[in-house]
């Protein structure tokens, strides 16, 4: 029972084809690793699946609805309400505190400030960075920042979390920590995770692996 | 495998820097920087080009400013050359100041009468115009030659016979004329001229102090934004440059080397800008001759930047740019890997900012309390005012960033996400925000203060007599000379038919040459004095103590008047003085150096000369045809009729004078009012320049936050939230800055007005316009930033490789 | 790493004498530890007995060096099966995997599939280890981590080799000799 399906996606940037017939299927609650050599277009596949990029050919279907039928603002709303994102380099808003960063998706969805703050603090505690609630991203370490990013991704109770090399900038210990918490959270909340990574140990946290090579996907 | 070089060929390694002297090393660093700038390709070129453009603009303004002392001095000299040296002893040249109103212009001139050849000539004129001829300035000649200009020639009173040369003009568009006349002796207000090149109106001490204050506030208030603009221009695109410098630093350049390289990188753009600015200035200079700022125009030749100031500019501009570059990259040099954690910068201190402000006001206090210091023109007093103003303005510039920070810190996290993002972003970007806000506040405060000073000074211009002239009043017209039978009656009729005018009360004299033979007035005037009743159309009154020779002849100097028999005798002197008092005629006292003292009104109206008083008909009968007349015309005042009055009077006699009328040229055209408008225009221009600075600061910031913005876009943040935060950000800066600036500007203006001891007038409209403009700038600045925001939100911004 | 299978694979590549077989083996796999003659003939004898190889021709002269060995159909099937099956994932598999890759290339089989199959097996075990790690105690975690790191090292080598396959295949095909042959001479 697939929740999010990508069918034969094609995408070129200039003359280089990043995707040439890539497919992906995600069922609710599962963790999928997308692996492959660097520069192979894994991130491109991720962004297409999330509706951030529009593929040149192929379809992305979420909950039975094709994403290319949706307007830009509808897709934005979709991302706001159903998806969560974790990037390799945090991309937290540097001038907001960690708690405010985590609360932001909720506030954007219309939640009241107090409610959003409360949930944000809950998630920060769960990810073991509760005491950093009032610090700014510039004041904390990389590993801590990624955990805040995970909290931000999960705070809105998303159906799918898209993680683009979440441990890429971290050392093994921090990476392990983040992945452990992420997979636990996924199990507990039932959120599916699409994980782009080039590290096998990180991919090992997933239930399935999809390899992207030369623009094509293979499931191993 | 790489092939090893053939044995025998030695490859020399590139020479290191060890062989360079310290000076050599510095130069090589600078050269490296310059090479980076010149060969950097696309983006670096854009940056240098923008820097050059900004610096060029600044240079034009600065060079103009450097030319101001010379312009003022030249103007003063020309003014001096034109001004009349009135004599107290008889001369062969008689002159009288005349004014004509036409088409919204007030045209000043001089009526001249030479009684001998070889009299001194006004500058720019090689031949005195004869009677009924005009020597006019080129601009005036142009106006006469236009269609409909014949009327102007009529009003001026003659035919154009010559042009006034450049040496006799204060500016190429000056309107001035010299009228040839032959009856000046008959006119009050005419006087003997010893020569030209007298000293022009000595400014009253009050005016002096106003001007000093204006100059100081202008200099500080409007030139600082130029400096700010230069700084902004040299900071454009600093992020990329910082990255480059970080790389260089990591390669091993030490701090001073990095600083030199960065300087070398900025300087080509700066020097190019300076050269461009100088060229543009030279190119635009000839155009200045065509500009007329209200009665004031400037000869191109007079626009000469003072060498000392130019030197200052040439040294200061690169210096400011270099310092600003060094300040901007200080952080990069210190921490190229951005490894140190960035915490919120420490809170600004309020204390020293208030101190500066307070000291500034304190310096002005003694001048407020003691009237005389500034009036005396003492240099020390001027310095104190200058220092006080500078300190207050700097205090404003220092206070505003603190205020923004305080507001932002307290603003807290309540409110929409847009608000939150804006407030926090401001809190973080303290340095840039602070700088821009400070300059906006400084400019606006300076403008507001100047506004108050202008409004106050403008009140000096108003003639107390005319402010009292409301409702039904009388206007005095003097210096009308008529001859021939019925001429006086015609004049009277002409004036009486003006709308709103009543019956004129006329008092004149029958003249022979420059001597008064008899007083002349119509019965409508004479009948007001009981002693003179009854008055018949041909009444003749003789002074009781007049001596008649045989045959009833009255001798006045060398002239003789034969009187008929039975002429009534009376106390003429007292009758005449009561006439004068009653009519208010002859009460025109002008005895300043421009009027010429030493020749009082000799119409005998109150003087001792006239022993005879006649009606116009009687004067005719006695053969006295030339009459010099003053009259008082009752007039109710709708404004438009002033022009008609002046026109009618000019057509009656071009050298006649309306003594206490209101200038038909609207008071907005007086110099100070125009300077006022100029000030507003200048302030608006400065605001626009500063808005550009805000724009650049916004753009820089957007680029810095690129990663975060892309992340937010991926999360699905609607565009309007981010755009909203931009609007809030700009609005907070502009609104807060403007409010503080207006508040303190009003305070400073009030203090300055107290210093010059003027009345406090607040032009709410102008201040509201300034505030409104500052606030309205939010819109265009935000709109211009939006495309960049959109670019940062696109998926391509997510790619980090 | 299994010498028997390797010889078999080499023989599939081409029938050869014992001496040449040893040389070929050493060129590919024996740079550090050349195989002993005794082991060569013993292995050949074993293969002969199980019917995976046969004697192709005999040179005149005495001694075992004179027989030429060739692979039988059964031998080919054996190699096929060996290559198609993944090795049980455990640390220090590189030498075996390397042998498999080279032999696959030599015998004209798709090496990419081999690598993918191995990767799948590795990942399965790694997933299992990761799951165990999350629920186990500290000792479990230490052991799992140890295994995971080594397995990852293998996988990284696998990935590198995968990306270099084209190069490697060209080298083997064009030159017809093993890399490092020049150095032997």
């Amino acid at each position: 029972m697939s929740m999010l399906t990508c069918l034969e996606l094609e995408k070129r940037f200039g003359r280089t084809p990043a995707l040439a017939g890539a497919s992906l299927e995600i069922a609710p609650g599962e963790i999928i690793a997308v692996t492959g050599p660097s520069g192979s277009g894994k991130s491109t596949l991720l962004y297409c699946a999330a509706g951030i990029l529009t593929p040149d050919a192929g379809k992305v279907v979420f909950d039975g609805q094709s994403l290319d039928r949706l307007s830009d603002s509808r897709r934005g709303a979709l991302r706001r309400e159903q998806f969560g994102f974790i990037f390799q380099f945090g991309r937290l808003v540097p001038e907001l505190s960690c708690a405010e960063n985590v609360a932001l998706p909720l506030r954007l969805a219309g939640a009241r400030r107090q409610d959003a703050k409360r949930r944000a603090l809950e998630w920060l505690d769960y990810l073991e960075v509760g005491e950093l609630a009032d610090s700014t991203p510039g004041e904390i370490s990389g590993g801590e920042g990624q955990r805040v990013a995970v909290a931000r991704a999960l705070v809105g109770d998303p159906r799918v979390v898209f993680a683009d090399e979440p441990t890429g900038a971290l050392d093994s210990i921090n990476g392990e920590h983040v992945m452990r918490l992420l997979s636990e959270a996924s199990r507990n909340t039932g959120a599916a995770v699409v994980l782009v990574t080039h590290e096998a140990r990180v991919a090992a946290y997933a239930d399935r692996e999809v390899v992207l090579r030369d623009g094509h996907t293979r499931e191993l | 495998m790489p092939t090893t070089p053939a044995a025998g060929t030695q490859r020399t390694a590139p020479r290191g820097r060890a062989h360079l002297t310290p000076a050599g090393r510095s130069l090589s660093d600078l050269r490296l920087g310059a090479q980076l700038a010149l060969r950097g390709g696309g983006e670096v070129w854009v940056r240098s080009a923008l820097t050059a453009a900004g610096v060029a603009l600044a240079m034009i303004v600065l060079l103009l400013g450097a030319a101001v002392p010379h312009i003022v001095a030249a103007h003063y000299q020309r003014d001096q050359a034109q001004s009349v040296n009135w004599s107290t002893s008889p001369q062969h040249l008689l002159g009288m100041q005349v004014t004509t109103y036409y088409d919204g212009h007030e045209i000043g001139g001089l009526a001249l009468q030479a009684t001998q050849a070889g009299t001194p000539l006004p500058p720019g004129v090689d031949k005195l115009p004869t009677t009924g001829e005009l020597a006019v300035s080129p601009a005036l000649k142009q106006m006469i030659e236009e269609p409909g200009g014949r009327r102007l020639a009529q009003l001026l009173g003659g035919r154009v016979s010559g042009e006034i040369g450049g040496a006799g003009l204060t500016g190429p568009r000056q309107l001035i004329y010299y009228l040839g006349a032959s009856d000046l002796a008959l006119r009050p207000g005419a006087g003997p001229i010893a020569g030209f090149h007298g000293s022009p109106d000595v400014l009253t001490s009050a005016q002096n102090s106003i001007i000093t204050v204006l100059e100081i506030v202008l200099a500080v208030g409007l030139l600082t934004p130029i400096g700010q603009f230069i700084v902004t221009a040299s900071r454009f695109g600093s992020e990329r440059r910082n990255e480059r410098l970080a790389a260089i630093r990591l390669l091993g350049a030490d701090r001073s080397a990095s600083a030199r390289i960065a300087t070398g990188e900025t300087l080509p753009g700066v020097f190019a800008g300076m050269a461009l600015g100088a060229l543009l200035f030279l190119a635009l200079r000839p155009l200045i001759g065509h500009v007329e700022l209200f009665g004031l125009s400037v000869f191109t030749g007079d626009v000469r930047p003072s060498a000392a100031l130019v030197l200052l500019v040439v040294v200061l501009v690169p210096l400011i740019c270099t310092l600003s570059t060094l300040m901007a990259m200080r952080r990069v040099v210190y921490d190229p890997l951005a490894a140190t954690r960035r915490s919120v910068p420490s809170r600004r201190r309020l204390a020293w900012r208030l101190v500066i402000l307070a000291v500034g006001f304190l310096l002005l206090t003694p001048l407020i309390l003691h009237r005389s210091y500034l009036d005396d023109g003492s240099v020390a007093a001027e310095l104190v005012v200058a220092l006080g103003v500078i300190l207050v303005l700097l205090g404003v510039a220092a206070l505003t960033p603190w205020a923004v920070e305080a507001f932002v810190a307290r603003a807290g996290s309540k409110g929409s996400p847009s608000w939150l993002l804006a407030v926090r972003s401001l809190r973080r970007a303290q340095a840039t925000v602070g700088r821009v806000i400070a300059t906006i506040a400084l400019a606006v405060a300076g403008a507001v203060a100047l506004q108050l000073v202008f409004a106050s000074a403008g009140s000096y211009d108003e003639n107390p007599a005319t402010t009292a002239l409301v409702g039904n009043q009388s206007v005095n017209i003097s210096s009308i000379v008529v001859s021939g039978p019925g001429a006086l009656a015609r004049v009277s009729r002409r004036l009486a038919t003006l709308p709103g005018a009543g019956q004129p009360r006329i008092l004149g004299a029958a003249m022979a040459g420059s001597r008064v033979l008899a007083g002349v007035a119509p019965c409508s005037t004479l009948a007001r004095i009981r002693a003179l009743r009854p008055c018949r159309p041909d009444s003749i009154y003789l002074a009781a103590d007049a001596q008649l020779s045989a045959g009833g002849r009255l001798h006045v100097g060398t002239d003789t008047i034969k009187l008929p028999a039975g002429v009534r005798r009376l106390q003429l002197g007292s009758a005449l003085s009561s006439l004068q008092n009653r009519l208010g005629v002859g009460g025109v006292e002008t005895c300043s150096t421009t009027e010429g003292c030493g020749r009082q009104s000799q119409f005998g109206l109150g003087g001792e000369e006239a022993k005879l008083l006649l009606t116009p008909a009687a004067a005719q009968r006695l053969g006295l045809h030339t009459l010099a007349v003053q009259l008082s015309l009752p007039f109710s005042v709708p404004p438009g009729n002033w022009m008609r009055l002046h026109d009618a009077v000019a057509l009656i006699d071009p050298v006649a004078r309306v003594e206490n009328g209101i200038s038909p040229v609207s008071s907005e055209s007086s110099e100070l009012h125009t300077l006022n408008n100029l000030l507003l225009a200048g302030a608006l221009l400065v605001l626009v320049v500063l808005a550009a600075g805000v724009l650049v600061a916004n753009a820089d910031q957007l680029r810095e936050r690129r990663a975060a913005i892309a992340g937010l876009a991926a999360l699905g943040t609607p565009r309007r939230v981010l755009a909203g935060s931009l609007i809030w950000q700009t609005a907070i800066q502009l609104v807060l800055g403007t409010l503080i600036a207006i508040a303190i500007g009003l305070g400073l203006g009030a203090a300055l007005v107290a210093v010059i001891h003027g009345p406090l007038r607040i032009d709410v409209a102008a201040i509201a316009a300034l505030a409104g403009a500052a606030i309205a700038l939010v819109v265009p600045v935000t709109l211009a930033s939006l495309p960049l925001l959109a670019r940062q939100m696109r998926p391509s911004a997510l790619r980090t490789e | 790493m299994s010498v028997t299978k390797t010889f078999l694979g080499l023989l599939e590549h081409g029938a050869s004498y014992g001496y040449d077989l040893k040389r070929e083996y050493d060129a590919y796999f024996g740079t550090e530890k050349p195989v002993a003659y005794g082991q060569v003939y013993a292995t050949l004898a074993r293969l002969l007995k199980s019917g995976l190889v046969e004697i192709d021709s005999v040179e005149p002269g005495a001694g075992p060096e004179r027989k030429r060995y060739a692979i039988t159909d059964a031998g080919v099937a054996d190699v096929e099966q060996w290559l198609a099956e993944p090795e049980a994932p455990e640390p220090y598999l590189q030498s075996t995997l390397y042998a498999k890759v080279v032999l696959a290339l030599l015998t004209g089989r798709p090496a990419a599939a081999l690598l993918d199959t191995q990767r799948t097996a590795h990942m399965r075990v790694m997933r299992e280890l990761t799951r165990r790690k999350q629920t186990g105690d500290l000792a479990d975690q230490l052991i799992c981590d140890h295994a995971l790191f080594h397995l990852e090292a293998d996988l990284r080598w696998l990935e590198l080799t995968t990306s270099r396959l084209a190069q490697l295949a060209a080298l083997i095909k064009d030159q017809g000799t093993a890399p490092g042959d020049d150095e032997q001479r």
Side-chain angles (χ1 to χ4, degrees), chain B residues 568-588:
Chain B
R568 204 192 316 172
R569 282 191 183 247
L570 66 162
Q571 282 298 334
L572 198 57
S574 57
L576 282 174
S577 359
S578 5
L579 257 182
Q580 239 178 257
N581 292 340
R582 287 283 201 88
L583 301 184
V585 176
V588 182

Side-chain angles (χ1 to χ4, degrees), chain B residues 210 214 450-463 467 667 670-674 676 753 756 758-759 761:
Chain B
I210 294 176
L214 292 180
L450 271 180
Q451 258 292 316
L452 286 182
V453 174
F454 275 141
S456 171
S459 65
Y460 281 120
D461 252 9
E462 290 156 12
N463 189 337
T467 48
S667 57
S670 78
E671 263 176 41
L672 271 175
H673 266 278
T674 314
N676 197 7
V753 161
I756 63 177
R761 303 265 174 86

